[in-house]
């Protein structure tokens, strides 16, 4: 026989909770602070999904056909051009994200100096991850150079890659979450969840594909 660290009547109280009411409260909270009929919310979600879809499709097409390399005459020039387009799409995504947040009600719980400060801290952490990742990989390494046949000699293991395998993606996600807290936006938090979901889906395809590129390189040198 053993003793529970809390009284049994606590468990009975939990069993008597009407979880349907809890669900209704969450739904009411979402309805109060997220206007799903706002077209700017849908546009932001579309831009979020478009980015990883675009660069994965174009990069794989280039890897198979080398079409961009032939058009621009150099894999480096082609990679720089694709990187520039990706950056423009990222700016568009961020703009649509901000516009969607501004059009939505502010969450009173987060609408304070403390909430704003917490959001700034998250955004700062995400920025450090993204900037340090870019500095470690360089422009070509960041913007899918390996799909253009521009392969790195050794795997990057310095910060932030000793903290996360994909610091650019998760740094970006953290920045969006920070912006959401800074603007006390529940809609922003939901859009950040869409960002994270799209990145997780992209990584399921990008990771194995990139590993195969380097496996083929290694087999050629055997």
């Amino acid at each position: 026989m053993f003793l529970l660290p809390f009284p049994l009547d606590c468990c009975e109280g939990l069993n008597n909770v009407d979880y349907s009411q809890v669900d209704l409260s969450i739904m009411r909270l979402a309805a109060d602070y997220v206007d799903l009929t706002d077209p700017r919310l849908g546009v932001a979600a579309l831009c979020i999904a478009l980015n990883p879809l675009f660069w994965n499709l174009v990069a794989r097409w280039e890897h198979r056909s080398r079409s961009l390399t032939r058009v621009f005459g150099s894999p480096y020039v082609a990679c720089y051009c694709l990187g520039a387009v990706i950056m423009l799409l990222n700016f568009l995504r961020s703009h649509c994200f901000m516009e969607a947040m501004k059009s939505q009600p502010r969450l009173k719980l987060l609408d304070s100096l403390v909430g704003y400060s917490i959001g700034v801290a998250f955004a700062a952490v995400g920025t450090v991850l993204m900037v340090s990742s870019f500095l470690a990989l360089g422009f070509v390494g960041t913007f899918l150079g390996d799909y253009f046949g521009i392969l790195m000699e050794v795997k990057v293991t310095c910060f932030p890659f000793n903290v996360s395998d994909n610091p650019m993606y998760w740094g970006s996600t953290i920045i969006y979450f920070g912006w959401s807290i800074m603007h006390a936006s529940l809609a922003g938090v939901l859009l950040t969840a869409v960002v994270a979901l799209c990145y997780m889906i992209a990584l399921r395809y990008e990771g194995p594909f990139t590993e195969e590129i380097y496996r083929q390189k290694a087999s050629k040198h055997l």
Side-chain angles (χ1 to χ4, degrees):
M1 187 175 182
F2 57 90
L3 297 177
L4 292 173
F6 45 80
L8 286 173
D9 55 358
C10 291
C11 295
E12 294 174 358
L14 290 174
N15 292 331
N16 293 327
V17 172
D18 186 352
Y19 290 100
S20 63
Q21 294 300 318
V22 176
D23 293 339
L24 286 174
S25 298
I26 295 174
M27 292 175 64
R28 291 193 191 100
L29 177 65
D32 289 340
Y33 292 101
V34 181
D35 180 10
L36 295 177
T37 63
D38 188 344
R40 283 167 288 196
L41 202 63
V43 170
L46 182 62
C47 287
I48 289 169
L50 173 65
N51 275 25
L53 178 63
F54 168 79
W55 71 60
N56 271 286
L57 289 177
V58 172
R60 289 194 179 210
W61 170 62
E62 164 61 17
H63 179 72
R64 290 194 305 269
S65 66
R66 293 289 183 257
S67 296
L68 292 177
T69 296
R70 288 197 298 270
V71 169
F72 291 100
S74 164
Y76 286 90
V77 176
C79 182
Y80 279 120
C81 289
L82 177 61
V85 174
I86 292 173
M87 290 175 66
L88 289 174
L89 288 175
N90 284 338
F91 287 136
L92 175 63
R93 176 180 63 179
S94 297
H95 172 74
C96 292
F97 187 98
M98 295 296 291
E99 290 301 309
M101 283 199 302
K102 292 177 182 177
S103 69
Q104 298 286 321
R106 295 177 69 90
L107 189 61
K108 295 178 181 178
L109 180 65
L110 298 176
D111 197 5
S112 65
L113 179 60
V114 173
Y116 186 85
S117 300
I118 293 173
V120 169
F122 272 105
V125 170
T127 301
V128 168
L129 289 175
M130 286 194 66
V131 172
S132 58
S133 174
F134 181 84
L135 293 176
L137 293 175
F139 190 96
V140 171
T142 298
F143 292 104
L144 306 167
D146 36 23
Y147 287 71
F148 291 80
I150 310 169
L151 305 182
M152 305 188 75
E153 293 299 325
V154 294
K155 183 177 181 180
V156 177
T157 56
C158 62
F159 181 84
F161 291 91
N162 56 355
V163 175
S164 169
D165 288 336
N166 301 282
M168 183 68 74
Y169 284 176
W170 301 126
S172 174
T173 304
I174 293 170
I175 289 174
Y176 282 120
F177 182 71
W179 287 353
S180 302
I181 302 301
M182 290 166 63
H183 289 81
S185 175
L186 182 58
V189 173
L190 295 178
L191 287 174
T192 301
V194 176
V195 172
L197 177 62
C198 288
Y199 280 156
M200 285 190 289
I201 294 173
L203 287 172
R204 289 181 63 89
Y205 293 92
E206 287 181 24
F209 195 82
T210 303
E211 289 176 4
E212 178 61 20
I213 291 175
Y214 281 92
R215 189 195 65 78
Q216 291 177 4
K217 174 193 174 184
S219 64
K220 290 179 180 178
H221 288 80
L222 292 178

